[in-house]
Amino acid sequence: MAETIVVVVGAGVSGLTSALLLSKKKGYKITVVAKHMPGDYDGEYASPFAGANIVPMAEEKEKRWESQTWKELKRLVEEVPEAGIHFQKCHILHREHDLKNPAGFPVHAFSPTPWYKNIFDDFRELPKGQVPDGYDGGCEFTGVCINTTMYLQWLAGQLLRDGVVLKRGIVADISEAKNLSHTGKPASIIINTTGLGSFKLGGVEDKTMYPIRGQVALVRNESTPMVICSGSADGPGEELYLMQRAAGGGTILGGTYDIGNWDTNPDPNVASRIMSRIVKIRPEIAGGKGITGLSVIRHAVGLRPARKGGVRIEKEKLDDKTSIVHNYGHGGYGYQTSYGYAEAVVELVEDIKGPISKL
Ligand code: FAD
């Protein structure tokens, strides 16, 4: 049987996971081409900046993506420690004000009766006495926290093991990807996982893409459980969350959810507010010393690749012999939906391959 030549453009969590699931199927020669690779830190590359955890943000009708991904992330924690993911208790706190006036994180995540209570074994509502001052209610469940630096490298390693070739490259127009396979043969399928890059990528130029700026602080201090709040007293877009990454990855203190802001420079005033909010809700993380008790590894900004109308997951014809499968626009939930969307990519590719293999 002739092999199908596939080029994946993008090496963030969406591209690497799509390539990984496709590499498990027989009959594909896969090349991943990207401007940024695991190990890089750049404002154009969202994946290293994520916490990352799973707090389902979709409406119930879209629950497929997060439910499918949760099953695989759980399996990775239980069976594959080298992936750099661990279980961690998570507290989700909400204020009535944020549910009525959404200005930051999607509100579905903070519903007092979320659909996702059925996917976590130990989901429970927090009794009033365990809800910190300033918040109206909350829940607790055991989720995961991903050490993204380690996990992206692990994904890349899995691809190499499966015979996928990784290459650096800047693609000006999506049609160029057709000629970028390591085999030297033209690709019949291009997978577009360029995230925010799809805003200006020739042949795509999706102007419904927009950034949601996320400033965070990564510290050496440790603290559990994770906490994610629907908003903070510092105003719209000023969030409050904490996630202790697996395997010495430090603790992410968040953050901001600044819609439409392309600025990738950390703002020192914002950094100071982020740390102040954390030591107020969790003084013990800094030994009661306030922000001077935090040992900062770095302040950083990542741009969540958001899209009006949600993720673009669909196939498109480039020409008679080539198709594109798009998988981009995951906003602030690219890890927690990664396996769901990668499975959809495989379904679309197999759908395209059907008619091609009959030619
Ligand atoms: P990216 O990671 O941006 O990767 C895009 C890839 O495409 C890169 O390799 C880039 O170089 C390449 N590329 C782009 N244009 C071109 C081109 N023209 N030619 C060649 N290559 C190109 N998600 C969660 O699930 N849980 C969380 O807790 C979470 N927390 C977050 C916190 C912050 C502060 C931020 C910023 C994001 C967070 N996210 C979280 C969201 C998550 O990080 C993103 O949804 C996800 O990383 C998007 O991955 P991606 O692969 O689609 O895009």
Side-chain angles (χ1 to χ4, degrees), residues 9-16 32-38 40 42-55 57 66 73 105 146 148 152 168-173 192-198 200-202 212-216 228 241 243 252 254-256 300-306 327-338:
V9 187
V13 68
S14 307
L16 299 174
V32 175
V33 180
K35 184 173 176 186
H36 303 97
M37 287 283 175
D40 295 353
D42 192 289
E44 291 181 19
Y45 186 32
S47 293
F49 297 97
N53 75 354
I54 173 161
V55 177
M57 292 182 175
E66 279 154 338
L73 292 179
F105 287 143
I146 304 171
T148 54
L152 292 169
R168 291 271 180 177
I170 300 177
V171 177
D173 188 288
N192 172 24
T193 57
T194 53
L196 210 46
S198 283
K200 58 177 183 187
L201 175 62
I212 303 177
R213 182 180 184 277
Q215 181 166 332
V216 294
I228 322 293
Y241 63 89
M243 304 172 199
I252 286 283
T256 59
V301 172
L303 302 179
R304 301 173 179 93
N327 178 22
Y328 65 84
H330 303 81
Y333 43 83
Y335 282 86
Q336 64 196 41
T337 58
S338 54

Side-chain angles (χ1 to χ4, degrees), residues 82 89 99-100 117 119 144 176 204 232 256 269 274 338:
E82 63 273 25
K89 282 256 192 267
L99 302 185
K100 289 187 192 130
K117 69 179 180 186
I119 68 170
V144 293
E176 290 171 14
V204 180
S232 80
T256 59
N269 293 319
I274 290 171
S338 54

